[in-house]
Amino acid sequence: MAEKLQQFDSVVISSLRRFRDRYFPAKPAREDLMPVPEPGKEDAQLRFLDRLPVDIQFLIMGLLSPVDICCLGATSRYWRAMVRDPLLWKYFLLRDMPHWSSIDHVTMPNLELLDAPLISEEESLEDGEGVEEEKGKDLKFDFMSEYLKGCPSCRQQWLPSRPAYKVVTSFLQYLVPSSEPRYAMLGPGMEQLDVSLVTRLMHAPDVLPVSVIPQRQINGIGSGVSYMFNHQHKFNILTLYSTNRAERERARLQQHTISNKLFACEGTDDSGYPVYSPAAQVQQVCQVVDGFIYVANAEPETEERKGDWKSEVAQIRAVLNCAGHPTSRPLLVLSCVSREQTETVGPAKCRTPCVYMAKTLCLPQLPNPWMVQDTVAESLSGLLDGVSWLLRCSGVKLG
């Protein structure tokens, strides 16, 4: 990815340079005679910034936040045109997507756009008759919109503020007792990681206090625990393990797969994906819960795990399909690693980015609302953001 970005740098700079030379040709002037901006004259400062070399302008834009780049585009016709270059935002997408901490069914960018050619990989903003005509013309791919839609910082920046009447409404709703949402939690991330996410949840009162001790058992492979979110919203998580504890631990130490007692394989479909039928007790759980938590293993893929993705996709589809009113059940995917990454960790040890986790699990094809949230089992970082989204999808009014 780093090599691809380095090669793409020159493409973006060439595109910006050709566009500026065509529509904003520089007036002949010696560098030592360039006017020095006078204090308080913003127009002079902008003209000075406009005359910087394009590669310096590209470097400046690369250091700005997306919101700042949009503000820069509002300063003049020149910068409005420059910051709308689709190649520039395609570069930002390739650079920043691996570092996004969450993505959902609303903000997921269209990854197919990154592989498809632009109007022309060499044309960018050059194929109009003029600046105003170019700006009014619909681009084939709007990478800027894709970026601003998916970037987590942009989502937070532009969230609408809550009106005062909603604050009163939330307080009144808090006084009315509501039913406790229930969620089924499953997935290989509960069993394959060195640090047990479920164990950490049970012993992290500063993150999610346990409200009720384990109360339900399903043939020895699952139990229900109630937690308290934000000290006022109670919800229940029913963990569904693939087999009993002894077999899970032996399989983890010996690095081999085990027979999954939650599902029965009934063959494969036309696309080569396995077709699973959930066990009877799992079907009962799926029909009564309000949503699902899938714990995915986001650590570097090993030889033993290669080829498991199709099975995971099929199992997600199986639990959603056997739920009552399946399209209304939200799916939270915790893209989980055991521990926080350190500076000594090389590129080969990096976690799977949440955007690519969503693509691998074929989540954009689901009719259900879904979210992928980066999570660390040891510190539980990212967990509360995911739980907050899940509770909102279940109709819980959070303050």
Side-chain angles (χ1 to χ4, degrees), residues 67 101-102 107 148-161 371 373 385 388 392:
V67 176
S101 60
S102 65
T107 60
L148 297 179
K149 177 182 70 174
C151 178
S153 63
C154 296
R155 287 182 252 152
Q156 293 298 323
Q157 182 79 16
W158 290 324
L159 279 177
S161 58
M371 177 187 185
Q373 173 66 52
D385 292 331
S388 173
R392 291 178 188 275

Side-chain angles (χ1 to χ4, degrees), residues 179-184 285-286 288-292 328-330 390 394:
S179 59
E180 176 182 339
R182 294 169 291 181
Y183 306 104
V285 170
C286 294
V288 299
V289 296
D290 299 282
F292 300 90
S328 64
R329 298 292 193 269
L390 194 60
S394 300

